[in-house]
Amino acid sequence: MNETLLPARPDLIAARKAWLDKLAGERRLAKNTLEAYERDTRQFLNFLADHQGGPPGLKQIADLKPMDLRAFLTRRRGQGAGVRTIGRCLAGVRSFLKHLEREGLANAAAATAMRAPRQPKSLPKPLTAVDASRVVEAGEQLNAAPWMRARNAAVLTLLYGCGLRIGEALALDGADLRDRSARSIAVTGKGGKTRTVPLLPVVFEAIDAYRDLCPYDLAAGTALFRGARGGALQPAVLQRDMRALRGALGLPETATPHALRHSFATHLLGSGGDLRTIQELLGHASLSTTQVYTGVDSQRLLDAWRAAHPRA
């Protein structure tokens, strides 16, 4: 984060840095959320510098009115930002202003008075069980190097077999998943929260196949999953490979690595899994977040009924 390029006065730059440090330290905010808040508030300060004709300071922030925030959100919408992005922008700016209010540096009334745009309701889009099984097969991967095919299959198996997020799978250490007698693994998710995830034999099989072929030393203290040059595998590489794979398999654009986590939850629920248990396995803070999968399962039943019932 290059603060020297931020169009704001020193007092506001220092206050913003203290807020971001607090989010990263005390609040232990997820890295992706922290980066989004940094980016959104940077865009907000860029907007204010243009909107007010000069770099804003704490005084300008203290004098903000709802119309200023509305103008910012309108600008973002004009730049092509969607409803979800605009809602997140407002959440980041609101969090920053509330921090300033707690420190006695500004009033967050303008942000509090703003309503976030209504978010469109959408259901997760899981793969079918057949398609998910094809996606995690090493033989279906398109990489030239056999060890990379095994690597991708192992990561995707973790996403589908354990319901992990991409970041959680790629954060695993070289010493993890060596003990085949282990029945579970501790995973650190959003907000630094740790949960216990059961392990299937197929996960060990995929990991062992990758270890046998990987040309790098997967020692303790190093990343389990490696990129072509030996560094830690980046999410963008896996996402790129998945785009190529879904094209080759004729799968829809919704077939992403994260869709395998949705598939894990949906297929488990469809097989009689308990919603509260699925919440714990996914690491959701709220049960309402997990309940969205009941909508997916109900929708599949309705689709099957419409397709098969003679009076549908």
Side-chain angles (χ1 to χ4, degrees):
M1 302 175 192
N2 192 342
E3 302 292 348
T4 62
L5 301 179
L6 197 64
R9 297 181 183 181
D11 59 348
L12 184 53
I13 290 176
R16 177 175 174 272
K17 184 178 185 304
W19 168 67
L20 291 171
D21 289 344
K22 184 174 183 178
L23 292 180
E26 294 179 26
R27 295 275 304 279
R28 299 176 70 184
L29 214 63
K31 180 183 176 183
N32 289 346
T33 305
L34 187 63
E35 289 176 351
Y37 276 16
E38 192 282 330
R39 184 171 57 252
D40 292 336
T41 51
R42 180 179 292 273
Q43 290 170 342
F44 180 57
L45 296 183
N46 271 288
F47 163 78
L48 285 182
D50 179 55
H51 185 63
Q52 298 179 342
L58 286 173
K59 182 182 183 305
Q60 287 70 34
I61 293 293
D63 292 338
L64 282 176
K65 295 178 175 57
M67 62 182 297
D68 297 314
L69 287 169
R70 280 196 291 269
F72 168 60
L73 298 182
T74 299
R75 171 79 64 85
R76 293 292 293 121
R77 189 60 181 264
Q79 293 170 337
V83 174
R84 294 185 186 278
T85 300
I86 289 174
R88 193 203 61 226
C89 281
L90 180 58
V93 172
R94 184 180 284 156
S95 174
F96 179 40
L97 294 182
K98 286 184 176 179
H99 165 78
L100 295 180
E101 185 176 63
R102 285 191 295 269
E103 297 296 318
L105 300 173
N107 189 329
T112 304
M114 287 287 297
R115 284 189 176 185
R118 187 180 296 275
Q119 299 291 325
K121 292 184 178 181
S122 61
L123 294 175
K125 295 178 174 59
L127 282 70
T128 65
V130 172
D131 287 341
S133 297
R134 293 177 67 196
V135 163
V136 302
E137 283 292 328
E140 297 284 6
Q141 308 305 314
L142 304 176
N143 309 70
W147 77 271
M148 289 185 181
R149 293 199 293 272
R151 176 202 66 193
N152 283 9
V155 178
L156 296 175
T157 298
L158 278 168
L159 304 188
Y160 181 48
C162 300
L164 301 192
R165 300 178 178 93
I166 299 177
E168 294 168 348
L170 299 189
L172 292 175
D173 186 86
D176 290 331
L177 300 171
R178 284 188 181 278
D179 182 7
R180 294 204 63 159
S181 65
R183 294 175 178 264
S184 62
I185 186 173
V187 176
T188 301
K190 288 186 175 181
K193 295 180 180 178
T194 301
R195 68 185 189 278
T196 300
V197 178
L199 294 170
L200 300 170
V202 68
V203 170
F204 283 109
E205 292 170 8
I207 295 293
D208 288 348
Y210 161 63
R211 282 188 189 278
D212 290 342
L213 294 172
C214 183
Y216 301 106
D217 181 19
L218 304 178
T222 65
L224 173 58
F225 296 110
R226 306 297 184 85
R229 298 183 179 179
L233 179 62
Q234 298 301 306
V237 174
L238 186 67
Q239 290 162 344
R240 179 201 65 201
D241 289 351
M242 184 70 172
R243 283 195 295 272
L245 179 60
R246 73 180 179 228
L249 296 180
L251 302 179
E253 290 187 2
T254 54
T256 63
H258 195 68
L260 288 170
R261 175 172 155 89
H262 292 323
S263 305
F264 164 84
T266 304
H267 299 165
L268 194 57
L269 183 65
S271 297
D274 172 71
L275 196 62
R276 182 69 71 178
T277 301
I278 295 173
Q279 175 196 357
E280 294 175 0
L281 293 176
L282 292 174
H284 286 162
S286 170
L287 184 63
S288 62
T289 307
T290 315
Q291 283 176 328
V292 69
Y293 293 107
T294 63
V296 176
D297 201 49
S298 298
Q299 187 60 49
R300 287 192 169 190
L301 288 173
L302 284 171
D303 289 344
W305 175 77
R306 290 192 182 101
H309 199 285
R311 300 295 298 275

